[in-house]
Amino acid sequence: MRILILNGPNLNLLGHREPDVYGYETLADIETLLRQRAEDLGGIELDFVQSNHEGELIDAIHAHRDWDGIVINGAAFTHSSTAIADALSSITIPAIEVHLTNVHARPETWRHHSFLSPVTWGQVSGFGYRSYLAALDLLYSRVAEEEQNA
Ligand code: CA2
């Protein structure tokens, strides 16, 4: 099983700025936790891509379209990018939208709308780094079940 973990703009700064909002874990810490979890689940192959550029995120979605699933934190592009939404609609594998913070509880109302939610399997929002771990578990469970039923 192969899962892409895709992270959008500014998430490379995680752990270094605004830890009260986004937590103390760096993106490298989250990668380590996900790799441990992937191993516990029986050796899921993970690829990690972070970019501050919309087109590079779209290229990563296209390049992994024959993988088994995508965990995506689109960061601010979540709230603006019809192009990333189109890229997710153009592939057939399931994607889960994740957010460290509960975007619906944030004071900025522009964070309450997601262009990605309508084209993803679902959203995990508000659990810090645990949002990523939950999304990996959910994708694993779905793909493993589909493989068993095939
Ligand atoms: O809660 C999330 O995971 C977000 O996707 C994070 C985005 C924000 O625009 C979304 O509304 C919710 C922001 C990522 C910015 O990352 C930073 C990391 C460290 C310091 C400052 C920003």
Side-chain angles (χ1 to χ4, degrees), residues 27-127:
L27 205 52
D29 293 335
I30 292 174
E31 176 171 344
T32 301
L33 289 165
L34 284 166
R35 287 202 186 281
Q36 277 166 0
R37 184 75 187 134
E39 207 174 301
D40 292 347
L41 288 170
I44 303 174
E45 185 181 342
L46 298 180
D47 195 9
F48 288 81
V49 176
Q50 187 277 328
S51 178
N52 296 322
H53 305 279
E54 193 175 18
E56 284 182 9
L57 296 168
I58 292 165
D59 288 344
I61 292 169
H62 293 174
H64 293 79
R65 66 181 181 274
D66 65 341
W67 280 38
D68 296 297
I70 299 177
V71 173
I72 178 169
N73 186 344
F77 288 147
T78 303
H79 317 295
S80 67
S81 180
T82 49
I84 294 175
D86 275 351
L88 290 171
S89 315
S90 73
I91 58 171
T92 54
I93 61 171
I96 295 186
E97 173 188 359
V98 302
H99 298 287
L100 295 152
T101 60
N102 179 348
V103 285
H104 305 287
R106 300 276 303 263
E108 303 90 356
T109 52
W110 56 268
R111 294 189 202 276
H112 302 169
H113 177 262
S114 167
F115 281 98
L116 310 189
S117 291
V119 294
T120 48
W121 183 28
Q123 185 193 67
V124 183
S125 178
F127 303 97

